[in-house]
Amino acid sequence: MRSTEDLGTSHGWRLQRGVLDDGRVVFAKTGARSPVFASEAAGLRWLGEVIAVPEVIEAGADRLVLSWVDEEPPSAAAAERFGRDLALMHRAGADAFGAPWPGFIAELPMDNTPAGDWPTFYAERRVLPFAMTARLPSRDLALVERAVARFAEVAGEPEPPARIHGDLWSGNLLWSGGRVVLVDPAAHGGHRETDLAMLALFGAPYLDRILGAYQEEAPLGDGWRERVPLHQLHPLLVHVVLFGGAYHGSLMDAVAKVLAL
């Protein structure tokens, strides 16, 4: 690189803004050798077939280099465009529930081995492994397991695998050029309500506009709002694993809501 600017760290990775010899401005994430960089690059390329993402310039064992995205304030028009774009991305679909690359969310590995249906995939590849890693008290782990046993019953009408981002919180939305550019995916074939539930978990600018435009493009199944806590179980478990007890209460509230469905 011709020049670099340090942007700090995230999950142990060093973040930089750089200028290549040819003048292109890039974003670089570097760290110890890990399959996480190749996984993120694969997800970006896959999502980028149907929605705006940064260009993958280099994906090495110890780095990921992407085109730089100039950000702007969120707007209602961009939110509505994103709602439609997100619906089209989900509709593009996937070959199965899972993905042909190893999964990661932040630095945590996830099993992307395909499963025949979404409740099985969500239970066996997402919720149960992270519930064990979270080292929940035995009583709380038993409640999670009771909720998992209800997944097939409460998941709504079966849907084909959607092409999902997998970690769609507001920090992974870059507002640029009148649209949203997606970054830091945990992409896989999953349930489209998972992305929407993640948006709702920590809030997003103009969320009502996003959801309204999404519904116009691809109406959601009956009862989707009641199923939001179901789809938030995994991201809440991820936060318990990464950040500890601060998220324990929110997790158990979501478990209780799933048990009440």
Side-chain angles (χ1 to χ4, degrees):
M1 290 188 191
R2 193 167 71 199
S3 64
T4 60
E5 174 188 351
D6 190 18
L7 300 177
T9 60
S10 176
H11 298 289
W13 299 307
R14 184 182 179 190
L15 310 180
Q16 294 177 308
R17 181 182 188 271
V19 180
L20 301 181
D21 291 340
D22 61 10
R24 285 181 294 172
V25 182
V26 298
F27 169 83
K29 178 191 294 186
T30 61
R33 294 174 64 89
S34 169
V36 68
F37 300 110
S39 176
E40 184 175 337
L44 284 170
R45 291 180 176 125
W46 188 54
L47 299 181
E49 294 174 4
V50 286
I51 202 167
V53 301
E55 177 189 358
V56 177
I57 295 172
E58 180 186 357
D62 61 353
R63 73 186 60 205
L64 179 66
V65 181
L66 308 174
S67 59
W68 183 262
V69 177
D70 287 318
E71 296 186 66
E72 65 190 18
S75 69
E80 291 174 2
R81 179 177 178 179
F82 174 53
R84 294 188 293 270
D85 288 347
L86 186 62
L88 293 173
M89 184 186 84
H90 288 164
R91 189 181 294 156
D95 292 336
F97 294 104
W101 51 79
F104 287 87
I105 188 163
E107 72 270 29
L108 303 177
M110 298 190 299
D111 185 358
N112 275 344
T113 303
D117 60 78
W118 182 77
T120 299
F121 177 84
Y122 192 54
E124 297 182 358
R125 311 286 192 265
R126 295 294 184 262
V127 174
L128 288 175
F130 278 78
M132 298 305 296
T133 304
R135 298 184 178 181
L136 300 173
S138 57
R139 179 178 180 277
D140 292 342
L141 179 59
L143 290 172
V144 171
E145 291 172 341
R146 280 179 55 197
V148 167
R150 302 199 67 219
F151 281 1
E153 177 186 353
V154 302
E157 292 297 317
E159 294 195 0
R163 186 172 306 205
I164 74 168
H165 180 281
D167 190 13
L168 199 64
W169 73 290
S170 62
N172 289 338
L173 313 182
L174 302 185
W175 302 78
S176 179
R179 63 183 180 180
V180 168
V181 179
L182 299 184
V183 296
D184 290 343
H188 62 280
H191 198 300
R192 61 193 181 122
E193 291 176 13
T194 297
D195 273 349
L196 301 179
M198 189 65 176
L199 278 176
L201 184 56
F202 301 114
Y206 299 103
L207 181 57
D208 288 346
R209 297 289 189 100
I210 295 170
L211 294 175
Y214 186 101
Q215 285 271 56
E216 291 178 4
E217 186 69 38
L220 293 158
D222 291 343
W224 71 271
R225 290 187 184 276
E226 288 71 29
R227 289 189 294 272
V228 167
L230 167 66
H231 292 270
Q232 291 178 342
L233 290 179
H234 177 244
L236 285 168
L237 279 164
V238 169
H239 279 73
V240 171
V241 172
L242 288 174
F243 306 114
Y247 291 93
H248 181 266
S250 297
L251 168 66
M252 298 316 299
D253 285 346
V255 169
K257 289 174 182 176
V258 172
L259 290 172
L261 286 173

